[in-house]
């Protein structure tokens, strides 16, 4: 399936949806959901590489994974591609039975061979999210030995340690564990790349929708997968239009040119509150907004400077203004609602304290620093608010704007000073955030476990071992206490200024129904939408 050629007979209709809004009221087609969303963070469509919010949501609606969870109660895990599983007596091997009679959009049958290939491929390619699976002792060298097919619809996953089974299963709900069509992917392999070059812009899944078209910073189109046998709504396609301006999103929504607006700010939401044709949905998200302080910067590497900057953010004012209805003040790396999450807030805006800490660090006159900032209204608004309070403490902050792809690429290369961004859990277990904020086993530029601690060149020392120990603790209460301790240590000394926990909001035009905002971005769902 070629995404570039994509739309075929539907092309004229989609092209019309991308044109500037007409001066009269419009209406989207009854079988098509059109939403405005800032999707300039999409770098790839390959599930083995996807690590961005927009692409994760699209993958969640187009690919299937081994395991899923109840969006209303994430403690309830169930099989998706997997029908059942067992754990060996020593706790180191999980044996899976795959559901029969599933098919990919290509028409190829989905078997254990595809599942094994998909997991091995993710480990071998070793892209950013590979560590989610690799943390079980899997490497490119041993992936074929440890992930092995045992029958047409059975396979085994052997691990290096007896990890808590629920922890492993949650990891298999992540985007990187999506099942791809082995035959189709290998038919497009070039020079042994496991189809990587092709799958960056194409589709090889079995989900309720299939990706039909992606034009960077313009549009993504997904269409109903007729080979999918699960429950679905009435949509034939979904069009994600890249529209960065919140005022434009609101205008298009009110006119009926789009069905859903995804990036509205406090001002736009207030203006829509009395519109009887529009419903505002909201849901708490496991996503935190934070500043990452690169320890390669000589000033930011000083502990007292890191502490000072945590006293130069007006958390409550940002939550009440820029992020009104969109977030709540929060300072720990685990979001509220996850096992072991703490709600401590040790920091507040205290300019005098910050200045004293900077003086103790040998910077009584402050210093200059840059912050890479995605050109998104909410992010920009937060950045400007932080710029003002930093200035009060003598820190001259230069904001460097860029689109999502630009800022993420620079951040992942450890070339920033400060980065302002969001982090959402890859799976619903506390280790997902503990690992990325508190673990960095190899701080060299060549390090392969590219956690947020690594991106910010921070060596957490003893926290590495403490993070590893928490995933082996079987007692939930003891495990929760271990994560509480980790959070407080990272808050005190880590290179992160965690500001808020997100509340995700979508403004939906009636009579659209069935759009779901899940606890993570890859669980946001259009599958059951009707119009």
């Amino acid at each position: 399936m070629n995404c570039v050629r994509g739309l075929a007979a539907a092309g004229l209709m989609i092209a019309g949806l991308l044109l500037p809004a007409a001066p009269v009221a419009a209406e989207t087609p009854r079988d098509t959901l059109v939403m405005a969303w800032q999707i300039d963070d999409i770098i790839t469509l390959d599930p083995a590489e996807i690590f961005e919010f927009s692409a994760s949501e699209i993958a969640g609606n187009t690919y299937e994974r081994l395991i899923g969870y109840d969006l209303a109660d994430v403690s309830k895990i169930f099989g998706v591609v997997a029908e059942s599983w067992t754990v060996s007596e020593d706790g180191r091997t999980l044996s899976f039975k795959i559901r029969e009679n599933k098919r990919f959009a290509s028409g190829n049958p989905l078997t254990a061979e595809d599942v094994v290939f998909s997991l091995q491929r993710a480990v071998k390619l070793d892209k950013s999210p590979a560590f989610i699976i690799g943390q079980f002792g899997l490497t490119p060298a041993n992936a074929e030995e440890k992930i092995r097919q045992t029958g047409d619809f059975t396979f085994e996953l052997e691990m290096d340690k007896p990890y808590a089974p629920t922890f492993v299963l949650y990891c298999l709900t992540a985007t990187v564990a999506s099942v791809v069509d082995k035959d189709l992917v290998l038919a497009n392999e070039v020079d042994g790349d496991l189809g990587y070059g092709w799958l960056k812009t194409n589709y090889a899944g079995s989900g309720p929708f299939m990706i039909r078209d992606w034009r960077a910073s313009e549009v993504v189109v997904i269409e109903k997968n007729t080979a999918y046998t699960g429950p679905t709504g009435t949509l034939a396609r979904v069009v994600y239009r890249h529209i960065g301006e919140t005022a434009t999103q609101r205008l298009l929504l009110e006119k009926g040119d789009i069905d859903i607006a995804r990036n509205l700010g406090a001002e736009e939401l207030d203006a829509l509150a009395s519109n009887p044709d529009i419903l505002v949905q909201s849901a708490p998200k496991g996503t935190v907004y934070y500043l990452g302080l690169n320890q390669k910067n000589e000033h930011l590497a000083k502990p007292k400077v890191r502490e000072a900057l945590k006293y130069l953010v007006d958390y409550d004012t940002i939550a009440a203004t820029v992020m009104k209805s969109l977030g709540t003040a929060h300072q720990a790396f685990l979001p509220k609602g996850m096992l072991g999450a703490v709600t401590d807030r040790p920091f507040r805006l205290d300019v005098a304290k910050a200045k004293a800490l900077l003086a103790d660090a040998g910077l009584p006159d402050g210093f200059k620093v840059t912050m890479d900032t995605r050109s998104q209204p909410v992010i920009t608004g937060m950045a400007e608010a932080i710029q003002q309070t930093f200035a009060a403490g003598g820190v001259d902050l230069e904001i460097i704007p860029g689109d999502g792809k630009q800022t993420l690429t620079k951040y992942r290369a450890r070339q920033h000073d400060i980065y302002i961004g969001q982090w959402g859990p890859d799976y619903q277990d506390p280790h997902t955030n503990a690992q990325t904020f508190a673990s960095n086993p190899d701080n060299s530029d060549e390090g392969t476990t590219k956690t947020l601690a690594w991106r910010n060149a921070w060596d957490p020392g003893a926290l590495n071992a403490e993070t590893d120990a928490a995933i082996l603790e079987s007692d939930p209460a003891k495990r929760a206490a271990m994560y509480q301790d980790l959070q407080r240590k990272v808050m005190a000394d880590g290179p992160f200024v965690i500001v808020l926990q997100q509340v995700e909001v979508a403004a939906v035009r009636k009579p659209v129904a069935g759009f779901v905002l899940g606890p993570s971005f890859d669980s946001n769902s259009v599958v059951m939408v009707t119009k």
Side-chain angles (χ1 to χ4, degrees):
M1 183 172 300
N2 190 316
C3 294
V4 177
R5 290 197 296 268
L7 295 174
L12 291 177
M13 185 277 292
I14 300 298
L17 292 173
L18 297 178
L19 294 174
V24 295
E27 183 177 346
T28 60
R30 291 296 299 272
D31 65 350
T32 301
L33 182 74
V34 184
M35 67 173 77
W37 196 21
Q38 190 163 0
I39 57 172
D40 59 356
D41 62 332
I42 299 178
I43 296 171
T44 178
L45 299 178
D46 188 338
E49 187 177 28
I50 289 173
F51 218 34
E52 298 75 41
F53 291 130
S54 302
S56 293
E57 176 172 326
I58 291 161
N61 285 280
T62 56
Y63 283 90
E64 292 183 292
R65 285 152 283 187
L66 277 169
I67 305 296
Y69 55 84
D70 187 330
L71 302 187
D73 182 356
V74 299
S75 68
K76 297 178 180 178
I77 298 174
F78 56 84
V80 180
V81 171
E83 181 177 275
S84 61
W85 54 88
T86 58
V87 183
S88 63
E89 288 188 11
D90 66 2
R92 293 179 54 192
T93 301
L94 271 68
S95 300
F96 291 89
K97 170 70 169 65
I98 302 304
R99 295 185 190 277
E100 300 184 27
N101 301 318
K102 276 188 169 292
R103 289 192 174 272
F104 291 102
S106 67
N108 293 332
L110 191 162
T111 70
E113 185 176 4
D114 298 289
V115 178
V116 168
F117 169 77
S118 301
L119 296 176
Q120 290 178 352
R121 179 179 180 271
V123 174
K124 290 177 180 179
L125 288 177
D126 199 23
K127 301 301 178 182
S128 293
F131 72 88
I132 296 171
I133 304 174
Q135 62 192 321
F136 308 130
L138 303 173
T139 67
N142 71 17
E144 292 187 14
E145 174 191 354
K146 301 298 185 182
I147 309 169
R148 50 186 179 261
Q149 186 176 354
T150 55
D152 290 344
F153 293 96
T154 58
F155 82 98
E156 293 179 344
L157 171 62
E158 182 184 344
M159 303 169 290
D160 60 338
K161 297 176 183 178
Y163 299 100
T166 53
F167 164 57
V168 181
L169 294 173
Y170 275 126
C171 289
L172 295 177
T173 70
T175 300
V176 71
S178 299
V179 180
V180 301
D181 184 336
K182 178 181 177 180
D183 288 345
L184 180 58
V185 170
L186 290 185
N188 292 278
E189 184 179 38
V190 176
D191 297 330
D193 72 346
L194 297 175
Y196 170 67
W198 180 79
L199 202 51
K200 283 179 73 73
T201 58
N202 285 274
Y203 172 69
S206 62
F209 287 88
M210 54 187 180
I211 302 171
R212 178 61 74 180
D213 191 34
W214 167 41
R215 305 173 210 162
S217 297
E218 184 180 351
V219 67
V220 173
V221 180
I222 63 176
E223 290 188 344
K224 189 171 185 176
N225 173 14
T226 57
Y228 182 73
T229 57
T232 60
T234 59
L235 297 178
R237 67 187 58 81
V238 179
V239 180
Y240 297 86
R241 293 179 55 181
H242 173 67
I243 297 173
E245 299 78 19
T246 56
T248 303
Q249 288 195 17
R250 173 193 162 193
L251 176 63
L252 293 174
L253 185 68
E254 290 179 316
K255 290 169 64 63
D257 291 326
I258 61 172
D259 299 301
I260 301 177
R262 298 290 298 276
N263 298 109
L264 300 183
E267 181 179 347
E268 290 81 18
L269 292 170
D270 285 344
L272 291 173
S274 60
N275 190 323
D277 296 323
I278 295 168
L279 172 68
V280 177
Q281 292 183 218
S282 64
K285 215 70 174 177
T287 304
V288 294
Y289 288 88
Y290 72 100
L291 307 184
L293 314 178
N294 193 342
Q295 300 303 281
K296 290 188 175 186
N297 180 294
E298 63 175 337
H299 299 318
L300 300 178
K302 298 178 178 180
K304 289 187 180 297
V305 171
R306 296 198 297 268
E307 185 180 1
L309 296 187
K310 294 170 187 178
Y311 284 104
L312 287 177
V313 175
D314 194 342
Y315 304 89
D316 289 323
T317 297
I318 290 174
T321 56
V322 177
M323 294 297 291
K324 180 183 177 183
S325 302
L326 302 174
T328 57
H330 186 72
Q331 295 179 357
F333 66 66
L334 283 184
K336 287 175 284 188
M338 194 168 276
L339 176 71
V342 300
T343 56
D344 303 6
R345 290 181 53 192
F347 305 108
R348 65 193 184 284
L349 180 63
D350 189 333
V351 175
K353 186 175 183 69
K355 284 185 172 181
L357 286 165
L358 289 174
D360 288 346
L363 296 167
D365 299 321
F367 62 99
K368 293 184 178 182
V369 70
T370 64
M371 182 160 71
D372 289 284
T373 306
R374 183 182 178 191
S375 296
Q376 184 185 63
V378 166
I379 297 290
T380 300
M382 289 178 60
E384 291 173 346
I386 292 168
Q387 184 183 49
Q388 292 177 13
T389 51
F390 271 27
V395 178
D396 183 357
L397 178 66
E398 177 189 355
I399 294 173
I400 302 178
D403 65 25
K405 183 176 181 179
Q406 290 170 334
T407 56
L408 275 171
T409 299
K410 184 176 179 182
Y411 183 40
R412 289 173 177 171
R414 314 211 292 184
Q415 295 174 349
H416 63 295
D417 284 341
I418 300 177
Y419 174 83
I420 179 171
Q422 300 164 266
W423 181 264
D426 295 303
Y427 46 90
Q428 297 299 316
D429 183 275
H431 185 67
T432 183
N433 279 21
Q435 182 184 38
T436 201
F437 282 96
S439 175
N440 178 16
D442 180 357
N443 195 36
S444 70
D445 287 343
E446 295 74 32
T448 57
T449 306
K450 295 177 170 40
T451 64
L452 292 187
W454 178 87
R455 288 188 198 176
N456 290 283
W458 182 51
D459 182 355
L463 298 192
N464 285 311
E466 293 177 31
T467 302
D468 291 341
I471 54 176
L472 297 175
E473 175 54 62
S474 59
D475 184 300
K478 292 180 180 178
R479 192 167 182 237
M482 295 169 80
Y483 287 117
Q484 291 165 359
D485 183 56
L486 279 169
Q487 288 166 90
R488 292 179 175 125
K489 287 175 178 176
V490 172
M491 275 194 281
D493 187 53
F496 305 105
V497 184
I498 298 173
V499 182
L500 296 152
Q501 181 173 339
Q502 182 180 8
V503 174
E504 188 176 14
V505 175
V508 182
R509 190 171 181 85
K510 298 177 182 178
V512 173
F515 178 61
V516 175
L517 293 173
S520 60
F521 275 88
D522 63 359
S523 60
N524 288 345
S525 178
V526 298
V527 175
M528 298 303 297
V529 168
T530 60
K531 288 180 65 175

